Amino acid sequence: MGAGTSSYAAETDREGSYPIKMGLGDMPESCVASVLMYLDPPEICKLARLNRAFRGASSADFIWESKLPSNYKYLIEKLFDEVPVNLSMKEIYARLCRPNPFDGGAKEIWLDKSTGRVCLSISAKALTITGIDDRRYWKHIPTEESRFHTIAYLQQIWWFEVEGEVELCFPAGTYSLFFRLQLGRASKRLGRRICNSEQVHGWDIKPVRFQLSTSDGQHALSQCYLDEPGNWAHYHAGDFVVENPNTPTKIKFSMTQIDCTHTKGGLCLDSVLIYPSEFRERLKRF
């Protein structure tokens, strides 16, 4: 009868004959919750299926509040029609992980389910596009390939210029801005996706210039040729850093190719994305 004689805790029942094994289900919920707080949300949800103790502990408010952005109350006020009163922190986290439209549905914010980091998407309809109202140059096309269910399609133009801006209290961190583009117009025929590249021209002559600037004086510039017809690609415009999550940051961005010695066309413009910079591999061009 020495110490360390068993790998599990045991005690004797009232008649002193049978040992009672102590399992994970006998752990106090408070102890389980203290451990779960150090795990990622997907891991917490998996462990919640183990038993009743883990299921109860996995709903503790202090766990899910630690997973939310530091300025989650600001996001709730901005995105929800009514500030939720009776929702648990877990329910608030789940709602913020869904696409949450704002600015008339032209922009969406959501939390990455695994990390709780803020992501933002801006539709083509929220951008200022030179010639967008002239159907000789541009037209809006409905599609299932966009989260906004519509894209802007460029048929042909001499002066290509797209601009936009957004102002938001971002949680502290480093963010990357991308334009989601595709050369060629996709459609379905007999249930198969096909891409018409007949109008694609001019993008291999001069590079496209991407820029961004922030209200606190940050600037970024990049340029590249557009290629790979038929595939959606994320073109990196630049990065910016947010230090104070309680101060709004205004980001202005643009995409231009204004060499008027040649026309360009056959381009689909879906949206602009702002992601935490550590997610860049997720948006890697293929």
Side-chain angles (χ1 to χ4, degrees):
M1 301 289 295
T5 59
S6 175
S7 60
Y8 58 84
E11 63 182 47
T12 304
D13 68 2
R14 277 180 283 179
E15 297 181 0
S17 55
Y18 300 105
I20 301 175
K21 297 180 180 179
M22 302 292 290
L24 289 174
D26 299 305
M27 292 179 63
E29 283 189 12
S30 58
C31 294
V32 176
S34 297
V35 174
L36 295 181
M37 188 173 65
Y38 294 96
L39 302 180
D40 293 332
E43 296 172 324
I44 296 172
C45 293
K46 287 180 182 179
L47 290 174
R49 296 194 287 265
L50 278 178
N51 54 49
R52 185 171 19 178
F54 275 74
R55 185 166 57 252
S58 68
S59 298
D61 275 349
F62 76 89
I63 292 179
W64 291 99
E65 187 168 20
S66 71
K67 308 303 176 186
L68 287 164
S70 60
N71 63 344
Y72 73 89
K73 293 181 180 178
Y74 160 82
L75 295 175
I76 289 173
E77 293 177 358
K78 184 174 184 66
L79 301 174
F80 297 172
D81 293 332
E82 296 181 1
V83 177
V85 177
N86 298 319
L87 291 184
S88 66
M89 289 296 172
K90 182 178 180 180
E91 291 170 323
I92 290 174
Y93 188 91
R95 284 188 59 174
L96 287 175
C97 284
R98 304 171 195 164
N100 293 280
F102 66 106
D103 281 2
K107 301 170 186 174
E108 288 186 350
I109 290 178
W110 67 97
L111 300 186
D112 176 68
K113 292 181 180 179
S114 297
T115 63
R117 299 296 305 278
V118 168
C119 304
L120 169 67
S121 184
I122 304 166
S123 77
K125 286 191 173 182
L127 306 177
T128 302
I129 303 174
T130 300
I132 190 64
D133 296 323
D134 193 327
R135 291 183 63 84
R136 293 174 300 171
Y137 306 131
W138 289 90
K139 57 183 176 180
H140 290 287
I141 300 174
T143 176
E144 297 177 356
E145 297 186 358
S146 169
R147 66 169 52 245
F148 298 102
H149 308 294
T150 183
I151 58 172
Y153 178 68
L154 172 64
Q155 299 174 102
Q156 179 173 290
I157 205 166
W158 292 88
W159 183 283
F160 175 77
E161 187 172 26
V162 178
E163 297 178 332
E165 65 179 49
V166 65
E167 186 172 29
L168 191 74
C169 288
F170 288 89
T174 303
Y175 296 85
S176 297
L177 187 144
F178 302 85
F179 282 79
R180 186 173 188 258
L181 310 171
Q182 177 184 262
L183 292 179
R185 179 176 174 179
S187 61
K188 283 189 176 181
R189 181 178 299 170
L190 299 176
R192 296 182 59 187
R193 184 184 189 270
I194 60 173
C195 190
N196 187 337
S197 302
E198 291 180 359
Q199 291 185 310
V200 176
H201 68 282
W203 306 108
D204 57 348
I205 299 175
K206 291 289 180 69
V208 172
R209 184 184 181 98
F210 301 93
Q211 294 187 81
L212 75 80
S213 62
T214 65
S215 51
D216 60 358
Q218 300 178 65
H219 297 273
L221 182 151
S222 65
Q223 58 183 20
C224 68
Y225 294 92
L226 306 189
D227 52 16
E228 303 178 28
N231 296 310
W232 286 105
H234 297 89
Y235 290 86
H236 182 222
D239 299 339
F240 63 94
V241 178
V242 174
E243 295 182 349
N244 188 345
N246 299 314
T247 300
T249 300
K250 177 179 282 190
I251 303 102
K252 295 184 177 182
F253 47 86
S254 65
M255 171 187 177
T256 58
Q257 214 285 33
I258 54 178
D259 185 334
C260 292
T261 60
H262 65 283
T263 61
K264 34 267 175 188
L267 176 70
C268 291
L269 169 59
D270 173 38
S271 58
V272 170
L273 296 169
I274 298 178
Y275 269 40
S277 292
E278 61 263 34
F279 292 178
R280 284 184 60 177
E281 284 301 309
R282 300 187 189 183
L283 302 179
K284 189 176 181 180
R285 292 171 53 202
F286 295 99

